[in-house]
Amino acid sequence: MTKVDSSDTAVRATPQTLAAVKGLHVVRLAGGRLSIRIRTRTVWVVGALTVFTLALAVLAVTLGEFPIAPGDVFAVFTGHGSASIQRIVLEWRAPRIVLAILAGAALALSGAIFQSLTRNPLGSPDILGFSHGAYTGALIVMFVIGGNYVATSIGAFVGGVATAAVVYFLSFRNGVQGFRLIVIGIAVSAFLVALNGWFIISVDVNSAISAATWATGSFDLSTWNDVLPVLGTIVVLVPVLAMYSQRLHTLELGDDAAIGLGVRAEPTRLVLLLVGVALVAVVTAAAGPISFVALAAPQIARRLTRSPGTALLPSALLGAALMLGSDVIAQRVIAPTQLPVGIITVIIGGIYLIALLAAQSRKA
């Protein structure tokens, strides 16, 4: 393995390109046949986000109606500790924490995919209607077909994919352009919001209250059975996303440039679209629709890393931290009453949008 730093690249570079690659390192493997570009700032951001998320996880497992000292938590994970503390940590709090981390990472990756495909910061599954479509599929299973958690998960996935198919084909005209995709997505999303509302007011009161509560997004009563489908989906789809990540970055240059560089634009876009929808659908089935994490996490990660394109790993870590932090706030802000985490993410997302609009207005 050899390491070539920016100074090696600068031998053939102009001063302008040298500035552009400052902090960029290239690690060559397998005799130079494989190369990996690593940005120093990205490494620092990934490390900081990892430490921050772990710290949040430790805080989350110690807080609650029954506070637990960090030493007692450590004793549980080393095979010691009382049976009551083991039950609180391993059966009640750990599944919720793990699910929050996985759900945040999945939504952030989905948002990063769609923002890259549309080349627009508003191109998240929330805006495009895919989250609402997954919710519609879950409601159809709950109120019309009937079924358990697995059936609801399948319904959410089918609803998300069906919505993506409708938006994709309505947007298709000699290829899919990002702005047209967003406009069609907003229209389909509005229709689905109305349809979901009609579903809820058409059922009995208890079912309507249950569905409305679920629609706010919550990790209350989460168990390891809720974690496994999300974990399995991520384990399967993240390698696929990694394989297509370079082509995703190339598509950010536009279809003409991507095709010129040898990327088959439409098949690649279709695969990535299915990956993004599946990530949203499995989270929706596990915890209900949770807004703004997919919208905000990729953009904040991009600003932190100062990356010219979508930063997938930092986005996933930031999504995990945002979701877990929001869930901790939801549990403790008016304790002992617990708020749905979706309410906190909407508040944080609203603050983010206001700050974004203010920053844009200052530049104008």
Side-chain angles (χ1 to χ4, degrees):
M1 181 180 75
T2 61
K3 179 179 178 182
V4 180
D5 63 17
S6 57
S7 61
D8 181 73
T9 309
V11 172
R12 298 179 298 278
T14 65
Q16 290 74 20
T17 55
L18 175 60
V21 298
K22 184 179 181 181
L24 177 66
H25 300 265
V26 180
V27 178
R28 300 190 189 281
L29 305 170
R33 293 190 296 274
L34 176 64
S35 63
I36 301 174
R37 290 176 299 171
I38 299 175
R39 292 168 59 89
T40 303
R41 186 180 180 85
T42 301
V43 173
W44 280 106
V45 170
V46 167
L49 288 174
T50 302
V51 172
F52 181 65
T53 304
L54 291 175
L56 276 177
V58 173
L59 179 65
V61 81
T62 57
L63 295 178
E65 190 174 351
F66 302 100
I68 301 175
D72 292 333
V73 175
F74 180 78
V76 169
F77 286 104
T78 55
H80 302 86
S82 65
S84 60
I85 293 181
Q86 285 189 9
R87 184 172 186 178
I88 293 173
V89 172
L90 299 179
E91 297 184 20
W92 296 355
R93 295 181 183 174
R96 181 171 188 156
I97 294 169
V98 174
L99 183 58
I101 291 173
L102 293 176
L107 290 178
L109 286 175
S110 179
I113 291 172
F114 289 117
Q115 288 177 7
S116 291
L117 291 180
T118 60
R119 290 187 289 163
N120 192 308
L122 294 179
S124 79
D126 309 334
I127 305 297
L128 296 176
F130 303 155
S131 299
H132 295 300
Y135 182 38
T136 303
L139 288 179
I140 290 174
V141 172
M142 293 168 63
F143 297 147
V144 180
I145 300 175
N148 55 14
Y149 173 81
V150 176
T152 304
S153 300
I154 295 173
F157 177 75
V158 172
V161 170
T163 304
V166 170
V167 173
Y168 183 85
F169 286 110
L170 289 177
S171 307
F172 192 91
R173 185 177 300 169
N174 298 322
V176 175
Q177 299 299 319
F179 181 74
R180 192 161 59 232
L181 191 72
I182 292 175
V183 172
I184 297 293
I186 290 173
V188 172
S189 177
F191 170 79
L192 291 172
V193 169
L195 181 63
N196 294 340
W198 177 79
F199 266 126
I200 291 176
I201 65 173
S202 299
V203 297
D204 61 86
V205 174
N206 292 331
S207 298
I209 293 175
S210 176
T213 302
W214 185 66
T216 58
S218 175
F219 297 116
D220 290 354
L221 306 178
S222 297
T223 67
W224 290 114
N225 290 332
D226 301 311
V227 173
L228 291 178
V230 181
L231 177 62
T233 302
I234 289 177
V235 168
V236 171
L237 294 183
V238 165
V240 177
L241 179 57
M243 290 172 56
Y244 279 79
S245 62
Q246 189 58 47
R247 277 172 272 189
L248 177 65
H249 294 318
T250 306
L251 281 175
E252 293 178 357
L253 302 174
D255 282 7
D256 292 339
I259 293 172
L261 293 171
V263 174
R264 299 174 61 199
E266 289 307 323
T268 300
R269 184 179 288 115
L270 189 58
V271 171
L272 291 168
L273 191 146
L274 288 175
V275 170
V277 170
L279 290 171
V280 169
V282 74
V283 173
T284 303
I290 300 175
S291 302
F292 280 107
V293 174
L295 175 68
Q299 288 301 308
I300 297 175
R302 190 169 182 170
R303 283 170 170 75
L304 289 176
T305 60
R306 296 178 185 173
S307 171
T310 303
L312 292 175
L313 180 57
S315 296
L317 290 170
L318 188 58
L322 275 177
M323 187 71 85
L324 183 56
S326 298
D327 192 44
V328 171
I329 295 173
Q331 292 180 63
R332 306 308 308 163
V333 66
I334 56 172
T337 301
Q338 297 190 13
L339 292 173
V341 67
I343 293 177
I344 303 301
T345 60
V346 168
I347 293 173
I348 295 175
I351 295 172
Y352 164 74
L353 282 179
I354 291 173
L356 182 64
L357 291 173
Q360 293 295 330
S361 64
R362 284 195 295 269
K363 291 180 181 178

